[in-house]
Amino acid sequence: ILTTMTPALCQAVTDQEDAHEQLESLFRQNLFISRSDFLDEGGLSAEVGYRYHTLFRQTLQLELNFRHPGILVELHRRAATALGASPEAATHFMAAEAWDEAAELLEKLVRNQVELGIMSTQLIELIERLPEEKLPERPWLRAALGIDLLQRGQIEPGRPLLEDATQQLADSGDDLSRAYLLFNLSNVTFGAEMASYLKQIGEVFSSHADSVPLRWWVTYHHAMVWQNIHVHNWPAVEYHLESAVETAIQSGEPGAYYTLAVNNFTHFFYSEKATNAILRLKKALANNLPSHDILARFGIINISLCQNWFLGKVSEAEKLARESQGMSRQYGVFSWADVNAMLISLYIQWLRDDLKGLAQSLQGVLDYADQAEAWNVARNDLLCFLAFVSWRQGEGSKARQFIPEMEAYTFFERQKINTSLVLAMVASADGSLIDADNHLRKAISLQHAVGFTTTIDPQLLLAVVYWQAGEREAALQELEIGLAEWQRRRLPGVVLQTGRAIIPMLEEAVRQKRRAEFAAHCLAAFDINTRPRSLKVPSTGETLTAREAEVLALIVQGKTNPQIANTLVISESTVKSHVTKVLAKLGVTRRTEAAMLARDLGFG
């Protein structure tokens, strides 16, 4: 009946003291069992375990059930007792149909998991195997099912389970446990409702201060961080984040660290104090938890990911984003920490002008949001990115199609910035520079109040709009204001979020010595050296200039003249002139011939 047999476990189940000798004898005779060593944290052999080959094990189980059906219940109970507080023990209680013992054990296991904020899939599957009538009397099991649904974004079915569980704990007088479960409800609410939950938690914690574990205070401070981010109270954000990190380090408990490690860190890098707190957390995760700890490793990767992006280290950020996404696929969804990798991966596709790939990625996340209700809070940001794609493709007027849905999914004040950005793109495409300016000035004012952006900085977008309208001096003045801000805050990554439309202005800023050093640093992150240089045409002896080579590369991609003009931030008439010269130098008359010749030359 055992999945893995150790001498101690076999002795407990069979009452035979020579279990070790019997197992070794079977293994040496090659009687359908294999052996493996279980290693301790130091890599030393802690215990030897044996397994039957699968088919033979199934055969033996059938034989046991046929010969000694009455003994199975007792054997499973012995196994459960020997295995202690573990999911494996619960499976044996269930096999013995000892449902009360199984439910009681699962509640103990669940309480530990609840504090991590991420529910084990294995425990959820075991809870779902219990008879339905066992669940109403077990609030922690109902809470586990509710938390599992919430962390997968299923708010509508998950919330009632968690609310019922908190009420049961309140009725039983367990105020501390009830307060802790309320954290999970506060995580899927915002505004007045979120504040109400946190107020209740704070009151309970204050009245039971001597009984509240340090790791619970970490969770409280962490929740207060997000409440204050939503209302743009940065002094409070910084205070609670610093308190959360300090308390986690003071407690030394893995659970306290996990609360912070599974996080969305992108917002914190807009504040110097918050950045210092997060980097201190990264150091503590590395120094105080083992290197094989999955959650600690995940936290370190995601902090490093955000840090590298905002420093403008694109290649490093891209590698870390892939690693983060790989861990999520391998080990399950890590709550809102997934936002780090998703958002920065979108930034990188945007920076590289991978518009097709960006549109596909955005649609994939939107499809996921259709299945995970909690992700709808990010729908406004995702739709804003789709509007950017239309704008970058020279179809800014089409961006207006996204505005109604964006407004319907505006949950936070900061998301009004996105709507203003899209309205400005539409106005610019329609030739109304004054309207575009008004929308962006409104967005700039709001961003100053909010303190961060999740898409494009409106100040830098204003510079791009003026540049595209031919107002070069006005564009450079707006650019200089934006560069000064992000240079002061040491965040070149925010400049990169504007995309490649900003490159000509950065180049001009370097030439005119306007924030030249910082502008050059941002340009380097765009990897300008990969842009086409002059190109020798063997068949005609002509040489394409660097700009003509850029135009040819875009012709190969199938872009139209308006799209090329928008990509290179030049006028459509200038594009026509370049195309004419490119065709003449290649000795062809049609764009399709130019594209074929370019491919033959290994170009584009």
Side-chain angles (χ1 to χ4, degrees):
I1 66 166
L2 301 173
T3 303
T4 299
M5 300 175 288
T6 64
L9 188 54
C10 285
Q11 184 171 327
V13 172
T14 66
D15 279 337
Q16 297 184 42
E17 296 184 359
D18 63 344
H20 176 71
E21 290 77 8
Q22 285 203 51
L23 289 167
E24 271 298 295
S25 175
L26 292 169
F27 175 70
R28 284 195 300 271
Q29 294 177 68
N30 197 26
L31 292 177
F32 305 103
I33 71 169
S34 57
R35 182 175 68 183
S36 61
D37 290 348
F38 295 100
L39 304 181
D40 60 20
E41 290 190 4
L44 300 175
S45 179
E47 192 174 18
V48 178
Y50 301 82
R51 288 176 180 267
Y52 279 118
H53 292 293
T54 303
L55 290 176
F56 188 54
R57 178 170 180 251
Q58 293 171 355
T59 300
L60 290 177
Q61 287 177 336
L62 290 170
E63 189 70 13
L64 176 64
N65 192 47
F66 176 73
R67 292 189 186 185
H68 308 288
I71 202 174
L72 277 173
V73 169
E74 177 58 26
L75 294 179
H76 279 298
R77 281 185 173 277
R78 290 181 189 176
T81 302
L83 285 164
S86 67
E88 291 77 13
T91 62
H92 284 289
F93 277 131
M94 289 180 179
E97 297 188 356
W99 303 116
D100 287 332
E101 290 93 331
E104 184 176 348
L105 174 56
L106 287 172
E107 278 209 307
K108 291 178 182 177
L109 297 173
V110 158
R111 292 188 67 156
N112 293 330
Q113 283 284 306
V114 166
E115 293 185 24
L116 298 182
I118 299 177
M119 195 51 55
S120 160
T121 301
Q122 183 184 21
L123 286 181
I124 294 299
E125 290 174 350
L126 288 172
I127 293 170
E128 290 174 341
R129 287 171 53 186
L130 290 171
E132 192 171 340
E133 64 270 15
K134 296 296 177 183
L135 294 179
E137 62 194 59
R138 303 279 182 177
W140 283 101
L141 299 185
R142 291 172 64 77
L145 294 173
I147 291 170
D148 176 63
L149 288 166
L150 293 183
Q151 76 182 33
R152 290 191 282 115
Q154 304 298 326
I155 298 175
E156 188 174 344
R159 187 168 173 174
L161 287 168
L162 201 50
E163 288 173 338
D164 287 349
T166 56
Q167 187 59 53
Q168 280 183 275
L169 290 171
D171 293 342
S172 70
D174 191 350
D175 282 341
L176 270 180
S177 295
R178 176 185 68 86
Y180 194 83
L181 285 187
L182 288 176
F183 281 125
N184 294 276
L185 289 170
S186 74
N187 287 340
V188 293
T189 56
F190 45 87
E193 193 172 19
M194 181 183 190
S196 174
Y197 282 131
L198 293 178
K199 182 181 179 183
Q200 293 178 59
I201 295 167
E203 290 172 349
V204 173
F205 278 20
S206 295
S207 62
H208 297 78
D210 293 339
S211 305
V212 179
L214 286 176
R215 63 184 180 276
W216 289 18
W217 282 112
V218 173
T219 306
Y220 175 73
H221 287 300
H222 175 251
M224 292 298 292
V225 164
W226 286 100
Q227 183 197 6
N228 283 287
I229 276 182
H230 295 330
V231 297
H232 324 134
N233 185 348
W234 278 95
V237 169
E238 292 160 351
Y239 165 76
H240 284 290
L241 186 59
E242 289 172 334
S243 298
V245 173
E246 174 60 35
T247 307
I249 294 171
Q250 183 183 347
S251 76
E253 296 184 50
Y257 282 113
Y258 296 156
T259 298
L260 301 178
V262 183
N263 211 328
N264 172 12
F265 300 105
T266 49
H267 305 74
F268 302 138
F269 282 85
Y270 286 86
S271 156
E272 184 175 0
K273 286 185 177 180
T275 298
N276 291 337
I278 288 302
L279 294 182
R280 189 177 178 210
L281 171 64
K282 174 184 169 182
K283 183 177 180 181
L285 288 169
N287 292 341
N288 299 330
L289 294 177
S291 59
H292 60 264
D293 188 305
I294 298 301
L295 291 178
R297 176 65 182 154
F298 190 74
I300 292 168
I301 288 171
N302 277 284
I303 293 171
S304 300
L305 165 61
C306 296
Q307 182 183 16
N308 277 285
W309 171 256
F310 283 110
L311 290 175
K313 298 179 179 179
V314 179
S315 296
E316 292 88 337
E318 186 173 26
K319 292 175 186 174
L320 290 164
R322 284 198 296 265
E323 189 171 356
S324 172
Q325 290 167 327
M327 289 184 73
S328 281
R329 285 191 296 270
Q330 184 176 357
Y331 297 107
V333 176
F334 285 101
S335 188
W336 287 104
D338 279 331
V339 174
N340 294 309
M342 177 201 74
L343 190 58
I344 292 174
S345 294
L346 296 177
Y347 288 154
I348 292 171
Q349 287 180 298
W350 174 243
L351 173 148
R352 291 183 174 154
D353 234 17
D354 179 13
L355 302 182
K356 182 178 179 181
L358 177 58
Q360 291 174 341
S361 298
L362 288 165
Q363 192 55 59
V365 182
L366 286 167
D367 289 344
Y368 178 76
D370 289 338
Q371 306 300 318
E373 184 186 352
W375 274 66
N376 277 327
V377 297
R379 189 176 287 272
N380 176 287
D381 306 271
L382 299 169
L383 292 167
C384 185
F385 264 115
L386 276 176
F388 291 155
V389 172
S390 294
W391 169 68
R392 188 66 178 147
Q393 291 173 330
E395 301 173 334
S397 295
K398 290 186 177 180
R400 62 167 46 91
Q401 68 181 301
F402 300 106
I403 293 173
E405 191 175 0
M406 287 179 65
E407 291 177 337
Y409 285 95
T410 299
F411 297 103
F412 308 114
E413 193 73 9
R414 66 167 177 80
Q415 291 176 325
K416 294 179 181 178
I417 298 173
N418 293 337
T419 304
S420 292
L421 297 182
V422 177
L423 288 169
M425 291 179 211
V426 173
S428 176
D430 291 346
S432 179
L433 185 58
I434 293 176
D435 286 346
D437 182 285
N438 288 336
H439 288 304
L440 289 171
R441 298 287 178 195
K442 179 181 177 181
I444 290 168
S445 176
L446 183 54
Q447 183 171 294
H448 286 160
V450 170
F452 64 90
T453 179
T454 52
T455 52
I456 290 180
D457 172 35
Q459 181 71 56
L460 296 176
L461 184 58
L462 180 61
V464 172
V465 167
Y466 270 115
W467 186 271
Q468 291 180 337
E471 301 287 342
R472 299 301 171 88
E473 181 55 34
L476 290 171
Q477 288 175 5
E478 301 298 341
L479 174 71
E480 195 166 3
I481 294 171
L483 292 182
E485 173 69 9
W486 302 119
Q487 182 178 19
R488 180 184 66 81
R489 295 169 74 170
R490 297 191 290 277
L491 295 174
V494 179
V495 180
L496 304 184
Q497 289 166 206
T498 315
R500 299 189 80 83
I502 202 173
I503 288 176
M505 284 179 286
L506 292 174
E507 292 174 330
E508 188 62 27
V510 172
R511 282 192 288 270
Q512 294 192 22
K513 298 187 175 1
R514 299 190 183 201
R515 300 282 168 181
E517 185 178 349
F518 186 63
H521 178 73
C522 294
L523 277 170
F526 277 105
D527 196 14
I528 303 302
N529 291 330
T530 62
R531 292 168 66 189
R533 299 295 182 184
S534 59
L535 176 69
K536 186 78 172 179
V537 184
S539 60
T540 64
E542 297 280 358
T543 299
L544 299 182
T545 66
R547 177 60 90 184
E548 290 166 352
E550 282 187 295
V551 171
L552 178 58
L554 295 171
I555 289 173
V556 172
Q557 293 175 27
K559 290 187 180 290
T560 63
N561 283 358
Q563 290 172 335
I564 293 174
N566 197 57
T567 300
L568 300 180
V569 199
I570 57 179
S571 69
E572 195 171 338
S573 61
T574 302
V575 173
K576 290 178 181 177
S577 175
H578 284 313
V579 170
T580 300
K581 291 177 182 178
V582 168
L583 297 180
K585 288 182 178 182
L586 292 176
V588 298
T589 58
R590 301 174 64 182
R591 296 164 78 102
T592 53
E593 293 175 312
M596 290 175 63
L597 180 57
R599 293 191 183 99
D600 289 342
L601 294 172
F603 182 77

